[in-house]
Amino acid sequence: MMLHGRSRPSRITQKVRERDERVRANLEQYGCGDRYIDVIISDFSNPLWREGVEFDAIITDPPYGIRESTEKVDSKTTSKQNTRSKDMPHYPSTSHYSLHQLYVDLLQFSAHHLKLGGRLVCWLPYHRDDYTSEMIPQHSSLDLVGNSEQPLSGLTSRRLLTYEKRDINTPDSAQLSCQLSNSYDFRDRYFNNAPESRTERRMRKAEQRKIGRIEALKRGKVIIDNKEAKNNLNKSRFQ
C-alpha cells in the first residue's frame, strides 16, 4: 500500500498522503516513467536475486528506525503451542536489523551485483558527536566517489555516499570495513540525546495548543474540530 501511495503518511505533520506520492510517480517526475517496470517487496537480509543479475545503479535510502523500522525476517523458536489454523494469515517473525549489518549487506550485495563502473548511492545517518571518517563503510571493490552532508537537526546529520565499482573481485567479508558497531543505534541516539524526550515534546506542544485554544475563545473565535473532516477527506481520496 505504501509503495502505491495508498497508506497513511509517515510524516507526523502530514495527515493525508498525496496522490502522486508513490514510486512510479517519483520516476515520472524525473522523466523516467518509461523505465518503471514493477515493484518487488522482499527482505533485503535474504536476497532473492539469482547469481548472474547485474544492475547499472543501486539507489537506496536505508531505514534508520525513525519513521521506518529496522527489522528483518527471522526464525524464532518458541515453547508455545501453535494454535494457528491453515486459513489464518501468517505474519513472519522479525528481529532487529542493526545499521552495521545493514550496510555490510548493502556493500557486499552492491559489489556482487553492480556492473563494472556501476554506482551505489545511499544515505548514512549519524549523530554529529559520533562522526569520524572511519564511520564511512568501505569495500575493496567499491570506490567512494562522493560524500556530502545534509544536516537533519542540530544534533544529527546524514551523508549521501556514492560508490563506484572498480573491479570484479568476488565480494568477501575480508574486503569490507564498516566501523559502525553492532550496538550503534541511531534511533536511540536520535531520541534519547535530544534536549527533550518525545513525551516531553508532545506534552509541551499539547500545552501550547491548549493555550492557543483558550486565547482563541477569548477573542470570540469558534473552535472547530477538523479531525473528522480530515478522516473523511482521506477516505474520499481512495474511493
Side-chain angles (χ1 to χ4, degrees):
M1 294 294 287
M2 181 177 65
L3 292 170
H4 298 289
R6 296 176 65 88
S7 64
R8 294 181 60 186
S10 57
R11 298 181 181 89
I12 192 171
T13 57
Q14 184 180 352
K15 302 300 181 182
V16 180
R17 189 178 290 276
E18 301 296 336
R19 285 185 177 274
D20 62 349
E21 198 174 347
R22 62 187 192 279
V23 175
R24 185 168 190 170
N26 200 21
L27 287 173
E28 291 171 350
Q29 291 169 10
Y30 286 93
C32 302
D34 59 329
R35 301 186 182 184
Y36 177 86
I37 299 176
D38 208 339
V39 174
I40 296 175
I41 301 175
S42 67
D43 178 19
F44 183 71
S45 66
N46 296 286
L48 52 80
W49 304 100
R50 59 181 173 82
E51 185 68 21
V53 171
E54 290 186 325
F55 300 100
D56 295 308
I58 298 173
I59 304 173
T60 180
D61 184 11
Y64 316 147
I66 307 303
R67 293 201 303 261
E68 305 85 6
S69 61
T70 51
E71 295 179 337
K72 62 180 179 179
V73 176
D74 194 10
S75 299
K76 296 181 180 179
T77 58
T78 177
S79 58
K80 295 181 180 180
Q81 183 179 1
N82 185 7
T83 59
R84 187 174 62 87
S85 61
K86 293 183 179 180
D87 57 342
M88 293 177 63
H90 171 64
Y91 300 98
S93 300
T94 60
S95 63
H96 179 63
Y97 198 8
S98 69
L99 280 181
H100 172 272
Q101 190 58 50
L102 191 156
Y103 283 94
V104 166
D105 292 345
L106 178 59
L107 264 66
Q108 288 187 353
F109 179 87
S110 301
H112 194 67
H113 288 284
L114 278 175
K115 294 180 179 178
L116 191 62
R119 291 195 169 191
L120 162 67
V121 182
C122 61
W123 288 105
L124 175 70
Y126 60 93
H127 197 279
R128 288 186 173 183
D129 291 342
D130 300 333
Y131 179 73
T132 64
S133 58
E134 286 75 21
M135 288 182 64
I136 305 299
Q138 301 285 349
H139 194 286
S140 61
S141 294
L142 301 170
D143 276 334
L144 181 66
V145 297
N147 180 1
S148 55
E149 180 187 16
Q150 180 189 37
L152 298 176
S153 68
L155 299 174
T156 60
S157 291
R158 62 179 182 176
R159 288 187 173 268
L160 184 63
L161 306 178
T162 304
Y163 299 87
E164 184 174 301
K165 186 172 180 178
R166 65 182 179 186
D167 58 41
I168 55 175
N169 289 338
T170 302
D172 185 82
S173 58
Q175 299 174 304
L176 189 144
S177 172
C178 183
Q179 296 298 321
L180 286 173
S181 67
N182 276 314
S183 61
Y184 183 77
D185 191 333
F186 177 74
R187 176 185 173 85
D188 178 70
R189 294 283 282 147
Y190 183 88
F191 288 119
N192 295 335
N193 289 273
E196 59 182 354
S197 67
R198 299 177 71 185
T199 301
E200 291 171 338
R201 184 166 61 253
R202 285 197 296 265
M203 293 178 64
R204 175 174 57 81
K205 290 187 175 182
E207 185 64 25
Q208 290 175 345
R209 289 193 296 270
K210 180 180 178 181
I211 295 174
R213 285 194 295 269
I214 294 174
E215 294 296 328
L217 289 172
K218 289 180 179 179
R219 297 194 301 269
K221 184 177 180 180
V222 178
I223 305 298
I224 300 175
D225 186 3
N226 291 324
K227 184 176 181 179
E228 183 177 355
K230 290 178 180 178
N231 288 338
N232 292 335
L233 175 62
N234 204 9
K235 291 178 182 178
S236 65
R237 296 175 67 87
F238 304 110
Q239 289 179 350

